């Protein structure tokens, strides 16, 4: 059932539409959000503009507001769910005419473990509007199931999406498996870096920073890989021969446990933490180790440094002392003293923390490290 829409005389400026949509999703009002989007479609007559210049920027604002502690996790999830359903309203409106039964076929999927599906959904809808036959597989697609789908459908290409960098090792396996099946891969999403450096490092056949860019790359065409050949991870990433990534990834639990125990001597407030606070601290330390391992995988120190600085800002916004990060990184370095790349990465992150200009602290409850 199409929601009723308030009358807006004349074209609604896009900036105004963004404000209206933000107000609707912020208040959890799905019907008003749908009305805003459908009115914007009436004004512009261009569904791609509505998807990428209205919905996408508002969704980006949702993430920014959550990071600044101005939205709860529940509000962030609600806003994202509203956007997903509003996109469905656009996709299934009665007057929509797009695609062709004989158009090129493409599979759009998130890598295994990746639950942020909205960027991939936006790409899928843009490609449909441009005449592609799209198989949208959604979030968290295990690689064996993806490959089975490719063998069954024979698409021209695969678009792989990932927003969280810690999924890059899994993305690498997916890229290699798709190419072994004879299907080229275009990668997209924040995990692959703002300049696509990680997509190139993992051997993807293409990369784009957004849905419009991805559609343009696909329209120009990707070269289909040649006959499958024996291919190992170190062929793309020869630095992995030092085994630092493998060992750090395999000992994450031990590293977190020891760091948490040692941190009590270095960071006195930890001794007074509640059980819940200690649990959150252990979770955050696990994320730090996971990002360290990922930075070792792709040999990108900036990936880890950027995450540590982002974590410091998140903690500050929640009224939690970010100064606990420095001793935690030092304690990790002591445990990893025999791993030169890991130690250099941790040292660079500590230096960046020391040079950081923190944002104003936000009063209120938060979670430690």
């Amino acid at each position: 059932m199409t929601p009723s829409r308030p009358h807006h005389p004349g074209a609604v400026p896009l900036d105004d539409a963004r404000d209206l949509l933000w107000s609707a999703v912020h208040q959890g009002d799905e019907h008003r959000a749908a009305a805003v989007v459908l009115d914007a479609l009436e004004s512009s007559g261009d569904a791609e503009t509505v998807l990428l210049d209205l919905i996408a920027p508002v969704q980006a604002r949702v993430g920014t507001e959550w990071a600044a502690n101005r939205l709860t996790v529940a509000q962030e999830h609600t806003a994202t769910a509203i956007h997903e359903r509003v996109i469905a309203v656009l996709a299934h409106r009665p007057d929509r005419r797009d695609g062709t039964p004989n158009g090129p076929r493409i599979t759009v999927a998130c890598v295994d473990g990746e639950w942020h599906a909205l960027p991939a959904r936006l790409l899928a809808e843009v490609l449909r509007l441009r005449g592609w036959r799209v198989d949208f597989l959604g979030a968290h697609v295990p690689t064996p199931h993806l490959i089975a789908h490719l063998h069954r459908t024979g698409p021209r290409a695969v678009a792989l999406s990932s927003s969280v960098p810690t999924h890059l090792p899994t993305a690498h396996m997916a890229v290699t498996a798709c190419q072994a099946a004879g299907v080229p891969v275009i990668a997209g999403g924040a995990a692959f870096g703002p300049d696509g450096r990680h997509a190139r490092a993992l051997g993807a056949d293409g990369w784009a920073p957004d849905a419009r860019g991805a559609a343009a790359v696909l329209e120009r065409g990707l070269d289909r890989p040649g006959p499958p050949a024996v291919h190992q991870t170190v062929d793309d990433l020869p630095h992995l021969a030092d085994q630092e990534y493998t060992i750090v990834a395999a000992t994450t639990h031990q590293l977190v446990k020891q760091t948490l125990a040692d941190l009590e001597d270095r960071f006195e407030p930890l001794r007074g933490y509640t059980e819940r606070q200690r649990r959150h601290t252990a979770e955050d330390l696990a994320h730090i180790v996971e990002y360290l391992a990922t930075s070792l995988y792709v040999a990108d120190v900036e990936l880890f440094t950027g995450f540590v600085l982002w974590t410091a800002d998140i903690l500050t916004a929640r009224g939690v002392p970010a100064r606990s990060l420095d001793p935690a990184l030092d304690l990790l370095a002591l445990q990893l003293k025999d791993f030169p790349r890991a130690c250099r990465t941790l040292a660079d992150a500590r230096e960046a923390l020391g040079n950081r200009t923190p944002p104003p602290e936000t009063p209120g409850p938060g979670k430690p490290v």
Side-chain angles (χ1 to χ4, degrees), residues 284 310-322 324-325 367-369:
D284 289 341
W310 177 83
T311 300
D313 288 345
I314 291 290
L315 295 175
T316 300
R318 284 150 179 78
V320 179
S324 56
L325 287 170
K367 65 175 185 176
V369 181

Side-chain angles (χ1 to χ4, degrees), residues 22 25-27 58-59 61-77 79 318:
W22 165 252
V25 299
H26 186 229
Q27 295 175 30
V58 174
Q59 179 64 25
R61 182 176 176 182
V62 169
T64 300
E65 293 294 298
W66 171 83
N69 201 30
R70 292 189 289 265
L71 284 184
T72 66
V73 171
Q75 287 175 308
E76 183 268 333
H77 285 190
R318 284 150 179 78

Side-chain angles (χ1 to χ4, degrees), residues 1-322:
M1 179 177 179
T2 302
S4 60
R5 305 195 300 279
H7 177 64
H8 295 291
V12 178
L14 199 56
D15 286 345
D16 291 346
R18 291 191 195 105
D19 289 340
L20 290 168
L21 181 57
W22 165 252
S23 176
V25 299
H26 186 229
Q27 295 175 30
D29 191 335
E30 179 179 336
H31 289 284
R32 184 152 60 94
V36 170
V37 167
L38 291 172
D39 277 337
L41 180 61
E42 279 188 14
S43 297
S44 68
D46 182 5
E48 184 172 310
T49 295
V50 172
L51 288 165
L52 302 185
D53 299 326
L54 174 56
I55 296 174
V58 174
Q59 179 64 25
R61 182 176 176 182
V62 169
T64 300
E65 293 294 298
W66 171 83
N69 201 30
R70 292 189 289 265
L71 284 184
T72 66
V73 171
Q75 287 175 308
E76 183 268 333
H77 285 190
T78 298
T80 302
I82 288 174
H83 278 150
E84 289 173 344
R85 290 192 288 271
V86 169
I87 292 170
V89 170
L90 284 178
H92 299 294
R93 67 187 191 277
D95 62 337
R96 174 159 170 171
R97 296 288 184 271
D98 55 61
T100 166
N102 298 318
R105 191 165 193 169
I106 186 168
T107 295
V108 179
C110 294
V111 301
D112 194 355
E114 178 58 69
W115 291 99
H116 297 83
L118 194 62
R121 179 66 186 273
L122 287 168
L123 173 61
E125 294 307 316
V126 167
L127 292 175
R128 286 194 180 106
L129 289 168
R130 296 191 180 203
W132 289 74
R133 288 187 297 155
V134 180
D135 297 323
F136 176 60
L137 306 190
H140 180 51
V141 182
T143 299
H145 295 285
L146 172 62
I147 300 307
H149 177 82
L150 300 185
H151 284 305
R152 185 172 62 83
T153 60
R156 179 177 293 183
V158 174
L160 280 180
S161 177
S162 183
S163 297
V164 181
T166 52
H167 297 138
L168 286 173
T170 302
H172 193 190
M173 290 186 288
V175 169
T176 301
C178 291
Q179 292 170 336
V183 184
V185 177
I186 181 170
F192 295 100
D195 56 359
R197 70 183 72 174
H198 302 137
R200 291 188 293 275
L202 304 187
D205 302 286
W207 169 83
D210 52 37
R212 279 198 184 93
V217 170
L218 288 164
E219 286 165 1
R220 290 195 298 269
L222 296 174
D223 292 332
R224 183 178 291 270
V230 176
H231 187 89
Q232 297 183 352
T233 301
V234 293
D235 294 333
D236 295 321
L237 306 172
H239 55 268
L240 293 180
D242 65 13
Q243 295 294 303
E244 287 201 28
Y245 160 75
T246 303
I247 295 172
V248 171
T251 59
T252 294
H253 177 76
Q254 177 183 336
L255 289 168
V256 170
K257 183 178 179 181
Q258 189 62 51
T259 301
L260 187 61
D262 294 342
L263 196 56
E264 291 195 12
D265 294 328
R266 291 282 195 97
F267 187 64
E268 186 174 349
L270 181 61
R271 301 170 197 168
Y273 280 3
T274 65
E275 184 59 34
R276 178 175 178 272
Q277 288 176 317
R278 290 179 66 86
R279 185 172 66 253
H280 282 311
T281 301
E283 291 170 356
D284 289 341
L285 286 171
H287 289 314
I288 288 171
V289 176
E290 288 167 0
Y291 269 83
L292 174 61
T294 303
S295 73
L296 295 173
Y297 190 89
V298 293
D300 186 355
V301 173
E302 291 180 10
L303 187 155
F304 182 70
T305 299
F307 172 73
V308 170
L309 293 176
W310 177 83
T311 300
D313 288 345
I314 291 290
L315 295 175
T316 300
R318 284 150 179 78
V320 179

